[in-house]
Amino acid sequence: MHDENTQTFDTAHLDMELNLPHTVDEMALPDIYVGLEIDLLAPGDGIVTDRPHASADRYEADDPQNQITGQISPFTLSGWLRHGCERIVQTAGATACHPGEPNADYMLEDVYDRDLDSGYHEKGSCVDADTDVDTGCVIYDLFGGFGDRAGRVVRRPIRFSPIRRQVDVTKGQAEAHYRQLNTQVRSRNADDEGQPLRQATRDVVGNLVGTWRLTLRDLKPEYVGLLVEAVDYLNTHSDEYAMQLGGARNFGAGIVDTEVVNPLYTAEELRRVYNRAQAPTQAMEAKDEVWATECRDEFVRALQARTAARDGDLPVPGGDAA
């Protein structure tokens, strides 16, 4: 976790005062840790393993060859997080920056126009062309302009291992078990007597528990507010098809229990969250109270102010409470 806890939040662009307790100096920011618990994840081509997989007839659980570690690509994770962020902005009554170029070759006709009618604006249209500041809506800021501007949030891959002692959650790692699933697609014709037509292979990880480490390039409070709101939304709507992570959603894969781990925790306290042998300390419980009652709502209020500043029809939050 970062030791540079003296950074201050940039609020000059917001029509509000940010009221945070002194304990904010102890926050892990610019790092934000998203806690993940996933029974089954099938991100398609989004898994890179360190070793080949042993065949089923030679599998031995304690064979080092089968204790496969690897990484989960941040591309699938980023799309999932962005979808949650878009929903938060749209629920507030604003439009979200479209992730694709309007002149791209889409598989469906008029898909871009339909998206614009359902809560999006053209990618980059939120940037003021009359200024030299490349700042758009909060979605454009966080996730970037795809090639011409980096997103303000760095999304790292998740390194996973089936061996718990090799997992460091302060680095955005997770305990998980890799498997390669092979399914025979067989003929339904009785004359074929169940003859295999083809074999389908899918890489999956199961029983994933750990963190996804995000890092803010710029320390603006509305970024924190949007991320915590989006993660809460993704958790609440985890079983909805559109809010699941990765592929194979028809088979129950990608249902995620998630939360932003209290940013007030120290590195040791973060590790304690994922130590099954240890309960939260009194200091951690006190920090949970401070985060819930004094910090979280202030960041969400900053998000409301940023959103209202871009749309005159949205209310500007009051000066004292959310």
Side-chain angles (χ1 to χ4, degrees):
M1 299 175 72
H2 281 257
D3 293 323
E4 300 173 358
N5 295 322
T6 59
Q7 299 186 62
T8 57
F9 288 98
D10 177 9
T11 60
H13 58 294
L14 298 177
D15 188 18
M16 61 167 288
E17 293 291 334
L18 192 66
N19 300 313
L20 293 171
H22 70 278
T23 48
V24 73
D25 294 335
E26 305 170 5
M27 296 182 75
L29 293 171
D31 287 337
I32 295 177
Y33 292 89
V34 179
L36 302 172
E37 293 188 19
I38 311 173
D39 291 338
L40 182 65
L41 177 62
D45 295 330
I47 303 177
V48 179
T49 60
D50 295 339
R51 304 188 185 98
H53 185 61
S55 61
D57 59 343
R58 294 186 290 109
Y59 179 79
E60 296 179 11
D62 58 354
D63 185 345
Q65 185 76 357
N66 291 315
Q67 295 177 350
I68 298 173
T69 62
Q71 295 185 28
I72 299 171
S73 165
F75 290 100
T76 298
L77 294 161
S78 180
W80 169 74
L81 178 64
R82 179 174 181 138
H83 205 168
C85 290
E86 291 169 352
R87 287 297 178 89
I88 294 300
V89 171
Q90 291 163 343
T91 300
T95 57
C97 204
H98 198 285
E101 303 286 355
N103 60 350
D105 184 14
Y106 294 99
M107 296 177 65
L108 298 178
E109 185 179 2
D110 299 330
V111 64
Y112 202 90
D113 291 336
R114 291 200 302 272
D115 285 346
L116 297 183
D117 293 335
S118 60
Y120 291 87
H121 56 260
E122 282 193 15
K123 173 188 168 184
S125 65
C126 50
V127 177
D128 189 351
D130 296 330
T131 69
D132 295 329
V133 180
D134 188 14
T135 301
C137 70
V138 66
I139 298 292
Y140 181 89
D141 279 6
L142 273 183
F143 293 93
F146 285 17
D148 63 346
R149 186 178 189 275
R152 299 297 90 190
V153 59
V154 180
R155 291 140 280 168
R156 292 177 170 83
I158 296 177
R159 181 165 183 81
F160 67 87
S161 172
I163 305 171
R164 194 174 305 164
R165 66 178 179 274
Q166 294 183 1
V167 173
D168 186 351
V169 291
T170 67
K171 295 181 179 178
Q173 299 179 3
E175 177 185 355
H177 302 267
Y178 169 83
R179 291 293 180 268
Q180 195 172 59
L181 304 182
N182 297 289
T183 303
Q184 295 286 349
V185 180
R186 299 181 178 275
S187 172
R188 262 56 172 179
N189 191 316
D191 294 338
D192 293 335
E193 297 180 346
Q195 178 180 349
L197 300 178
R198 62 182 178 88
Q199 177 174 298
T201 301
R202 184 183 294 273
D203 290 345
V204 302
V205 290
N207 301 325
L208 184 147
V209 178
T211 63
W212 182 26
R213 181 184 173 191
L214 308 174
T215 302
L216 295 174
R217 288 190 169 100
D218 297 332
L219 211 52
K220 294 186 177 182
E222 66 268 28
Y223 296 166
V224 180
L226 180 56
L227 291 173
V228 297
E229 285 283 275
V231 170
D232 278 359
Y233 184 92
L234 290 166
N235 185 65
T236 303
H237 298 83
S238 62
D239 59 348
E240 292 184 11
Y241 186 85
M243 295 297 146
Q244 292 173 29
L245 175 59
R249 301 181 188 189
N250 283 327
F251 300 92
I255 297 177
V256 184
D257 293 327
T258 184
E259 65 175 348
V260 170
V261 182
N262 191 334
L264 298 175
Y265 285 167
T266 65
E268 288 307 313
E269 289 170 337
L270 178 59
R271 292 190 180 97
R272 192 179 183 97
V273 171
Y274 293 91
N275 188 331
R276 294 170 175 83
Q278 295 179 315
T281 64
Q282 290 184 344
M284 293 171 66
E285 292 175 348
K287 288 181 179 180
D288 289 344
E289 180 70 16
V290 171
W291 171 253
T293 60
E294 301 181 50
C295 294
R296 188 189 187 284
D297 286 350
E298 280 297 293
F299 291 119
V300 174
R301 198 164 64 90
L303 172 64
Q304 294 170 337
R306 170 68 182 270
T307 306
R310 297 200 62 87
D311 191 325
D313 294 333
L314 299 178
V316 176
D320 298 322

